Amino acid sequence: MGQEYALTCEAIDIVLSDSPQKTKRLLLGDVLRRILKADVFASFVCDASGPYADPVQLDLGDDALRAYHRHFRHVDDLTPRLFARGCATRVTPAAGFSAEFVHDFLHRGGMYHGMNYFPAGAGPGSVDLRVWRGRGGRAFTEADAQVLQSFGNLVARTWPRETPSGQKPLSRRETQVAELVAEGYSDKQIAAALGIAPPTLRTHLSNAFAKTGATNRAALAAHHLRHRQK
């Protein structure tokens, strides 16, 4: 009990410290691994496309992070489900999830039993916490989930949301354009509705694509509906 109390105090001190956020995520992850007897820790910042920016890791490896960014995030059907729950969720991926993601990324990285925290109302700038145990470990318990939920909520309440690296928020006009795209307006209809010339509209669309990572109008519409920027 004495060690658990000391680790809890250490974690709270880290969350409330004035250190840079990325440093705090790594330090907090180290303490959480000890509290929860986890093997791997990772944390991402949510950007315009979801919880995929500015990763930090302990015992996962930078090569694995690069592989995730290049390929596995596109076949990862687990993270979006956990993200949508907006809480600490225990998971032991098996049937029902992408076999490629589970076997070629999670299991290859020694991740068999996981617990991911995403804050309620997560959006650009919000931080998640992810811990995993290896093949020889046991699944996390509900008590473990309550611990991760408590620290995640403390982070969500005390850390200001930051713009992820390389991401900029949409301007007011770009947001209006994205909203009308999501409502199915054509370029001609959007230009008329906003009282702007077609070349100006194309500039706003190009900027919105660049900021959100969208590659087409459908992706921009999906971004707007997901985040409802105002």
Side-chain angles (χ1 to χ4, degrees):
M1 177 62 76
Q3 183 181 17
E4 291 180 4
Y5 178 78
L7 288 172
T8 298
C9 291
E10 183 179 351
I12 293 172
D13 285 342
I14 290 168
V15 172
L16 300 180
S17 74
D18 294 328
S19 300
Q21 189 187 100
K22 199 162 191 174
T23 300
K24 291 196 289 187
R25 283 194 284 149
L26 279 170
L27 293 173
L28 178 60
D30 180 57
V31 178
L32 287 175
R33 284 199 308 170
R34 286 182 279 159
I35 291 175
L36 296 167
K37 298 178 175 59
D39 299 306
V40 171
F41 169 80
S43 173
F44 291 72
V45 176
C46 187
D47 64 8
S49 62
Y52 305 113
D54 295 346
V56 297
Q57 57 81 23
L58 295 170
D59 282 349
L60 174 59
D62 290 336
D63 287 345
L65 286 181
R66 284 190 286 270
Y68 182 78
H69 179 73
R70 288 194 306 268
H71 174 68
F72 287 106
R73 63 172 285 186
H74 302 294
V75 297
D76 174 5
D77 55 355
L78 172 63
T79 298
R81 299 189 203 182
L82 302 183
F83 178 78
R85 295 184 183 181
C87 63
T89 304
R90 298 173 292 144
V91 61
T92 298
F97 294 101
S98 163
E100 180 182 5
F101 178 66
V102 172
H103 296 297
D104 294 347
F105 181 76
L106 291 179
H107 289 177
R108 183 170 294 178
M111 294 174 283
Y112 284 79
H113 306 289
M115 190 163 56
N116 289 191
Y117 167 85
F118 295 99
S126 63
V127 170
D128 61 56
L129 304 170
R130 314 181 192 188
V131 292
W132 291 86
R133 289 175 178 162
R135 185 172 190 172
R138 290 185 293 182
F140 289 100
T141 66
E142 184 57 34
D144 293 329
Q146 291 174 3
V147 170
L148 189 62
Q149 181 76 38
S150 295
F151 282 112
N153 286 346
L154 182 61
V155 166
R157 288 197 301 268
T158 59
W159 291 6
R161 292 192 177 187
E162 298 183 3
T163 300
S165 299
Q167 296 289 326
K168 295 181 180 179
L170 297 183
S171 69
R172 181 180 64 84
R173 183 63 89 188
E174 290 159 0
T175 299
Q176 291 173 332
V177 169
E179 181 177 8
L180 293 175
V181 167
E183 291 179 4
Y185 281 49
S186 67
D187 283 3
K188 183 176 181 179
Q189 290 171 323
I190 294 173
L194 298 180
I196 56 178
T200 302
L201 171 61
R202 287 193 289 272
T203 297
H204 289 314
L205 279 170
S206 178
N207 289 340
F209 287 158
K211 289 180 179 180
T212 63
T215 57
N216 53 44
R217 293 168 67 92
L220 180 62
H223 167 272
H224 176 77
L225 294 174
R226 205 163 46 235
H227 299 289
R228 296 286 181 180
Q229 296 189 23
K230 301 295 182 180

